[in-house]
């Protein structure tokens, strides 16, 4: 494992639970995560309005304001503008997807897990999003605010861990998917697909 890589950061942060120093870009990421969490909690709680663009637009605007109450003072004006652009793109894509017949269903956001592995390791963390894809396959998604996409295309350790957690909960599943949602890259997804044998 290369020092400073996503794999090592995830291991230290979520498995070893080492303390983290917070930088400006951490608040940028936390703000994005918080707003999208609140937005999807609203959509999950109001499934009958999932295809209503006006409702979705209002929900995103409201949750953006809620996120600003928590993180607004810790963000620069440039960061706020960049986040607002991300939310606009994310919302437009989400609304467009709702118009399709075969659309994924978001089941949970900020899903916490605490798993004791044989009394030797406590595996704990938070999965940003858990979906059921249009074809019935479960998917664990993670929001990323990295500027570079390339390194994540070869580093799926975090998603493998999340899919392992999901496998423990749903061992009957025959396939799992993982997705990095690259917020700074117009919300493009880096996708992976796994068999149960791969995740365990």
């Amino acid at each position: 494992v290369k020092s400073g890589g996503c794999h090592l950061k995830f291991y230290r942060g979520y498995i070893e639970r080492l303390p983290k120093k917070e930088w400006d870009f951490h608040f940028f990421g936390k703000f994005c995560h918080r707003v999208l969490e609140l937005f999807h909690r609203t959509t999950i709680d109001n499934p009958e309005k999932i295809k209503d663009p006006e409702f979705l637009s209002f929900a995103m605007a409201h949750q953006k304001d809620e996120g600003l109450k928590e993180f607004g003072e810790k963000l620069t004006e440039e960061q706020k503008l960049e986040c607002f652009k991300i939310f606009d793109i994310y919302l437009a894509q989400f609304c467009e997807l709702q118009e399709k017949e075969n659309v994924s269903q978001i089941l949970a956001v900020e899903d916490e897990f605490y798993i004791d592995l044989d009394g030797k390791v406590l595996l704990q963390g938070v999965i940003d999003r858990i979906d059921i894809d249009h074809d019935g396959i479960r998917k664990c998604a993670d929001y990323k605010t990295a500027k570079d996409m390339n390194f994540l295309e070869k580093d799926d350790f975090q998603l493998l861990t999340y899919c392992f957690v999901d496998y423990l909960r749903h061992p009957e599943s025959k396939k799992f998917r993982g997705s990095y949602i690259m917020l700074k890259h117009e919300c493009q997804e880096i996708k992976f697909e796994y068999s149960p044998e791969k995740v365990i």
Side-chain angles (χ1 to χ4, degrees):
V1 179
K2 295 181 179 179
S3 178
C6 185
H7 183 141
L8 185 57
K9 289 179 180 177
F10 176 78
Y11 183 85
R12 288 177 172 171
Y14 291 99
I15 297 178
E16 292 188 337
R17 305 297 293 176
L18 296 178
K20 303 175 184 178
K21 180 177 180 178
E22 290 192 311
W23 305 88
D24 288 347
F25 65 86
H26 288 154
F27 294 118
F28 180 98
K30 286 185 176 182
F31 176 54
C32 288
H33 278 71
R34 184 61 172 158
V35 171
L36 296 179
E37 173 199 354
L38 293 173
F39 171 72
H40 282 304
R41 289 196 187 281
T42 302
T43 65
I44 291 170
D45 290 343
N46 296 273
E48 75 283 359
K49 298 182 179 180
I50 198 70
K51 293 182 180 291
D52 183 345
E54 185 175 348
F55 171 79
L56 295 174
S57 180
F58 174 81
M60 181 65 84
H62 177 68
Q63 304 309 348
K64 180 181 68 176
D65 289 342
E66 290 300 306
L68 284 172
K69 292 177 184 177
E70 188 173 353
F71 295 105
E73 294 183 357
K74 300 174 182 177
L75 298 168
T76 67
E77 291 304 313
E78 291 181 353
Q79 287 177 320
K80 291 177 187 177
L81 290 175
E82 186 175 5
C83 289
F84 297 164
K85 182 179 178 181
I86 288 171
F87 300 146
D88 287 344
I89 292 172
Y90 188 97
L91 177 63
Q93 292 180 358
F94 186 78
C95 288
E96 183 178 352
L97 285 173
Q98 300 315 306
E99 296 301 317
K100 298 181 179 180
E101 292 185 9
N102 297 324
V103 63
S104 298
Q105 179 186 2
I106 297 176
L107 301 179
V109 290
E110 294 298 305
D111 187 71
E112 298 185 14
F113 57 87
Y114 301 87
I115 300 173
D116 186 343
L117 300 178
D118 298 325
K120 297 178 180 179
V121 176
L122 176 61
L123 185 64
Q124 62 185 78
V126 180
I127 304 173
D128 288 344
R129 237 177 66 187
I130 299 179
D131 303 356
I132 289 286
D133 261 348
H134 60 87
D135 53 3
I137 296 175
R138 299 182 65 85
K139 180 173 74 174
C140 296
D142 189 77
Y143 302 123
K144 292 296 184 187
T145 54
K147 294 181 180 179
D148 181 15
M149 291 180 59
N150 296 330
F151 77 100
L152 285 170
E153 293 175 352
K154 298 179 181 179
D155 188 352
D156 63 338
F157 176 76
Q158 184 175 359
L159 296 177
L160 264 174
T161 302
Y162 290 166
C163 288
F164 168 67
V165 171
D166 207 39
Y167 165 78
L168 294 179
R169 296 168 172 173
H170 300 275
E172 75 283 357
S173 298
K174 304 300 183 183
K175 193 178 293 185
F176 297 88
R177 292 189 177 124
S179 172
Y180 291 127
I181 301 175
M182 307 303 297
L183 298 180
K184 287 192 174 186
H185 297 268
E186 299 187 338
C187 303
Q188 296 180 58
E189 289 189 67
I190 302 175
K191 301 177 182 180
F192 301 89
E193 190 166 289
Y194 311 108
S195 65
E197 293 75 18
K198 177 69 173 178
V199 300
I200 60 177

